[in-house]
Amino acid sequence: MDINPNIKLLAEPKAIPNALIAILENALAVSKENDVVQLDAYIENQKMILTIADQGPGIASTIIDSLFEPFSTTSANGTGLGLSIAKNTFEAHRGSIAVENRKQGAVFTIGLPILTEK
């Protein structure tokens, strides 16, 4: 589906890209050579839905429920703050973020309200 290029989000110009970059960096970190990290966007129920899917090992069942909490990480080099900050950013913009495991990898789904003209 093509997205109308005139769709507008009411968003702070650096916060949303930074939050998306944090998720993309995590997806790339768990990816192997030739794996695909896919970013898709579509409109549904007055929201722009963005999905980021990777082909990594998925999110461990022991951490998936607390993944967006501060300091939640399984990475030896991570602080566990990136996804927490991303979630707070999306929620501050009246949006949402969720994650689920798929057969191969994980998919993050972000919803952000679009600005409707009155």
Side-chain angles (χ1 to χ4, degrees):
M1 172 202 304
D2 290 329
I3 295 179
N4 179 339
N6 297 319
I7 295 273
K8 294 180 179 151
L9 300 174
L10 187 58
E12 196 281 315
K14 290 186 181 176
I16 296 296
N18 286 343
L20 291 172
I21 287 169
I23 297 164
L24 287 165
E25 285 178 339
N26 285 350
L28 291 169
V30 299
S31 296
K32 295 179 182 146
E33 188 174 340
N34 298 322
D35 278 357
V36 173
V37 174
Q38 187 167 339
L39 172 63
D40 289 309
Y42 58 94
I43 303 297
E44 180 179 279
N45 299 326
Q46 296 299 305
K47 289 190 176 192
M48 177 173 285
I49 308 297
L50 303 165
T51 60
I52 299 172
D54 63 51
Q55 296 178 325
I59 310 296
S61 61
T62 56
I63 196 171
I64 198 162
D65 291 335
S66 62
L67 188 65
F68 297 107
E69 293 176 10
F71 310 111
S72 179
T73 185
T74 58
S75 171
N77 299 323
T79 63
L81 292 174
L83 292 177
S84 173
I85 292 169
K87 179 179 189 256
N88 288 340
T89 299
F90 297 131
E91 289 179 348
H93 288 81
R94 297 185 339 243
S96 61
I97 184 170
V99 64
E100 66 179 339
N101 286 321
R102 296 232 171 125
K103 189 172 186 174
Q104 184 175 7
V107 62
F108 287 79
T109 303
I110 298 124
L112 294 166
I114 59 174
L115 189 60
T116 55
E117 309 262 333
K118 292 186 180 182

